[in-house]
Amino acid sequence: MIEAKFIPLQFAELPPEEMARRARAFYEDIRRRRTVREFSDRPVAQEIIEDCLRAAGTAPNGANMQPWHFVVVRDPAVKARIRVAAEEEERVFYETRAPQEWLEALAPLGTDWHKPFLETAPYLIVVMAQSYSRLPSGGKVKNYYVQESVGIAVGFLIAALHQAGLATLTHTPSPMGFLNEILGRPDNERPYLVLVAGYPAENAQVPDIDKKPLDDIATFI
Ligand code: IYR
């Protein structure tokens, strides 16, 4: 058993006015984030993506197992294969699998099975969730709160990419098993989602939808 070892917390306390200013400034910035489905093919420096992934990798997670792996797809040939496979699943989803209620919920977003952005955007970050980890010896180590952990890391990643000046799309082709095969990932990993990242297309449009106000999403007791 490895014993706990403690080190001093590096906590930077801020004056209360500065705290309030930063809380408001973060909200004003993040509220401008929009899920984008029209991407430009303009290149984006890889260092930016790398730092955003470093930020994602700092997310709190179960037993610090860090049960994630980010496959950054830049290769046009691999992007094309992902597009073909995703559009095939999506076409079946929209045309036969999705219940009417689900299609009605999606209607305000104006989505359909066509996913050209999977080829246009410079980066597809395929987020893999590791249900268990592999030791170098080949043994298995269980991971904890995998879905929660990876979800938090993706939240960090989306926020990091947004504040770096990039647009993103959380894309969840369903089912996503084809990604293990195309990307050659091991069987302890399941695709969690595909985060499309890049510049938005010129004159990109987004659905005219709102977020719920604070009173609807929070209760103070
Ligand atoms: N995966 C499909 C459908 C879809 C589902 C939800 I829930 C969304 O918020 C958006 C889309 C697609 O990507 O089109």
Side-chain angles (χ1 to χ4, degrees):
M1 195 101 96
I2 299 173
E3 279 202 15
K5 177 179 166 233
F6 289 87
I7 54 172
L9 172 67
Q10 304 287 318
F11 183 77
E13 184 167 330
L14 299 169
E17 319 76 66
E18 176 65 2
M19 293 167 72
R21 194 196 64 73
R22 284 197 187 204
R24 177 49 61 115
F26 182 74
Y27 166 56
E28 291 297 345
D29 183 52
I30 202 80
R31 70 184 293 202
R32 287 197 310 275
R33 183 208 61 80
R34 292 299 310 260
T35 291
V36 164
R37 291 186 173 80
E38 294 171 288
F39 280 86
S40 158
D41 63 0
R42 275 170 72 192
V44 170
Q46 187 171 309
E47 299 84 274
I48 297 170
I49 305 298
E50 289 174 359
D51 270 340
C52 292
L53 290 169
R54 287 187 177 98
T58 69
N61 67 92
N64 199 33
M65 295 300 194
Q66 305 165 63
W68 43 64
H69 192 83
F70 304 95
V71 183
V72 183
V73 180
R74 305 162 299 174
D75 182 339
V78 179
K79 286 196 265 175
R81 287 184 66 196
I82 292 176
R83 177 182 177 182
V84 168
E87 286 188 333
E88 184 47 36
E89 296 292 5
E90 294 286 312
R91 207 169 48 73
V92 178
F93 171 82
Y94 280 96
E95 288 176 2
T96 62
R97 203 168 343 108
Q100 193 55 32
E101 190 181 20
W102 195 341
L103 293 176
E104 275 164 28
L106 291 178
L109 305 182
T111 54
D112 62 28
W113 64 267
H114 297 92
K115 306 295 174 193
F117 50 76
L118 292 173
E119 285 191 88
T120 321
Y123 295 99
L124 307 181
I125 305 174
V126 183
V127 182
M128 307 297 291
Q130 300 175 328
S131 47
Y132 57 91
S133 301
R134 279 266 177 225
L135 293 172
S137 62
K140 285 185 184 182
V141 180
K142 193 177 156 31
N143 290 334
Y144 301 93
Y145 295 101
V146 172
Q147 297 299 308
E148 294 83 348
S149 301
V150 179
I152 296 167
V154 168
F156 276 32
L157 180 56
I158 292 168
L161 289 163
H162 169 75
Q163 81 89 49
L166 291 170
T168 58
L169 163 64
T170 38
H171 179 47
T172 50
S174 162
M176 290 192 275
F178 65 85
L179 289 166
N180 279 72
E181 195 192 305
I182 293 177
L183 303 173
R185 299 307 303 172
D187 63 9
N188 63 320
E189 292 184 1
R190 294 274 169 277
Y192 186 82
L193 54 75
V194 179
L195 196 67
V196 183
Y199 288 101
E202 261 178 60
N203 309 315
Q205 293 203 305
V206 291
D208 184 9
I209 52 175
D210 307 316
K211 297 300 181 193
K212 294 177 183 173
L214 181 64
D215 284 352
D216 286 5
I217 64 168
T219 303
F220 291 75
I221 293 176

